């Protein structure tokens, strides 16, 4: 990834991964989610603080947020190039997240995250939640999660599309996709036919409505892991029962 930006110096790492720069600017790393787990957050902070006082090449991603913080990419070249976001993700100390944006600026970080997950590093020392685990998802309400599961039904509606991971009467995840995001997904081949019965990975903050729900605004936050397969016992009547 090319870095053509200004030179800054890291002064401190504040709570929730906010970076205090010597210029007085405050920033957060783009395309990553700071960990909720206190021990993992401590390890992430210490990893960043190892670069304190060293020059960083910084590229801003858009305007400052409501708290006046810049979202940045940052590279340290003091002891060989270190991409700060990629380093945290690769160590299992942060998850990939588009934040408030409508696109994932660095989709390549998903591959870095996959390697950390396969190795069971940091956040990935336990398996990802299953989308059919309603109890586990309810316990994670208000937190950012990465969830895997098989989409049982796709319900297209005028304003949004629903991806159901559990049959009617079962407690499992529903993902809601905005009209704009669904249109973008379809343009990239992720139609209802492509997604129904596919095993996917999704990410976002869990909300509890009628059941556990994630709202998806960025197409890259739905990763197809396995092509659609037939579900034993599925029937036309059963599918109709799932529809809203």
């Amino acid at each position: 990834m090319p870095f053509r930006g200004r030179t800054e110096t890291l002064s401190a790492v504040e709570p929730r991964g906010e970076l205090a720069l010597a210029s007085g600017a405050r920033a957060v790393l783009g395309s990553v989610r700071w960990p909720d787990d206190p021990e993992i957050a401590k390890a992430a902070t210490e990893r960043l603080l190892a670069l304190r006082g060293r020059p960083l090449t910084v590229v801003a991603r858009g305007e400052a947020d409501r708290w006046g913080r810049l979202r940045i990419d940052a590279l340290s070249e003091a002891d060989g190039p270190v991409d700060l976001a990629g380093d945290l993700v690769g160590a299992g100390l942060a998850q990939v997240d588009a934040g408030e944006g409508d696109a994932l600026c660095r989709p390549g970080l998903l591959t870095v995250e996959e390697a950390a997950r396969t190795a069971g590093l940091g956040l990935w020392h336990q398996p990802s939640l299953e989308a059919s685990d309603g109890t586990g998802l309810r316990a994670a309400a208000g937190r950012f999660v990465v969830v895997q599961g098989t989409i049982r039904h796709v319900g297209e509606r005028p304003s949004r599309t629903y991806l159901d991971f559990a049959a009617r009467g079962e407690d499992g995840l529903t993902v809601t996709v905005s009209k704009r995001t669904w249109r973008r997904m379809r343009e990239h081949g992720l139609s209802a036919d492509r997604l129904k019965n596919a095993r996917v990975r999704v990410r976002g903050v869990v909300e509890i409505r009628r059941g556990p729900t994630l709202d998806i605004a960025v197409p890259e936050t739905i990763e197809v892991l396995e092509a659609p397969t037939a579900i034993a016992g599925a029937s036309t009547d059963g599918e109709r029962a799932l529809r809203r």
Side-chain angles (χ1 to χ4, degrees):
M1 179 184 65
F3 279 77
R4 297 186 181 89
R6 66 177 187 265
T7 300
E8 288 274 8
T9 304
L10 178 65
S11 296
V13 179
E14 305 294 344
R16 302 300 304 168
E18 181 177 300
L19 308 179
L21 305 177
S23 65
R26 294 181 298 133
V28 291
L29 293 173
S31 300
V32 299
R33 179 85 178 193
W34 192 254
D36 292 319
D37 183 292
E39 291 302 314
I40 300 294
K42 179 181 177 182
T45 298
E46 291 173 351
R47 199 171 183 95
L48 290 174
L49 285 176
L51 301 173
R52 181 168 49 188
R54 301 182 183 185
L56 302 175
T57 302
V58 170
V59 177
R61 293 285 189 179
E63 301 297 322
D65 64 18
R66 71 188 80 172
W67 298 284
R69 305 176 306 182
L70 293 172
R71 188 166 294 275
I72 64 170
D73 295 332
L75 182 74
S76 169
E77 299 188 80
D79 297 313
V82 176
D83 164 26
L84 273 62
D87 187 57
L88 290 182
V89 172
L93 301 179
Q95 296 158 307
V96 179
D97 179 27
E100 297 179 355
D102 60 0
L104 182 60
C105 294
R106 299 184 57 191
L109 287 176
L110 292 171
T111 302
V112 178
E113 183 188 89
E114 178 62 23
R117 181 168 34 248
T118 300
L121 301 179
L123 289 157
W124 311 111
H125 70 283
Q126 293 182 339
S128 297
L129 274 170
E130 283 291 322
S132 58
D133 181 6
T135 300
L137 288 165
R138 289 176 183 276
R143 289 165 43 201
F144 183 88
V145 297
V146 177
V147 184
Q148 299 181 169
T150 299
I151 298 173
R152 301 292 300 271
H153 175 255
V154 179
E156 296 181 84
R157 297 292 180 269
S159 60
R160 61 181 54 85
T161 295
Y162 298 90
L163 309 179
D164 291 306
F165 290 78
R168 186 179 180 87
E170 296 178 355
D171 193 16
L173 181 67
T174 295
V175 168
T176 63
V177 185
S178 70
K179 180 178 180 179
R180 179 172 180 269
T181 301
W182 183 243
R183 182 173 63 250
R184 291 168 61 197
M185 289 171 60
R186 287 174 59 88
E187 289 171 354
H188 289 85
L190 291 180
S191 63
D193 288 342
R194 171 85 190 280
L195 288 174
K196 183 182 176 184
N197 296 347
R199 184 166 177 78
V200 303
R201 179 182 296 127
V202 295
R203 61 189 65 222
V205 176
V206 179
E207 298 180 24
I208 306 300
R209 296 171 189 169
R210 284 188 293 175
T213 303
L214 295 182
D215 289 332
I216 298 298
V218 178
E220 295 90 346
T221 55
I222 299 181
E223 303 169 73
V224 177
L225 305 179
E226 296 177 15
T229 56
I231 297 177
S235 68
T236 302
D237 290 341
E239 290 168 9
R240 279 200 296 265
L242 283 170
R243 294 184 183 133
R244 289 171 171 76

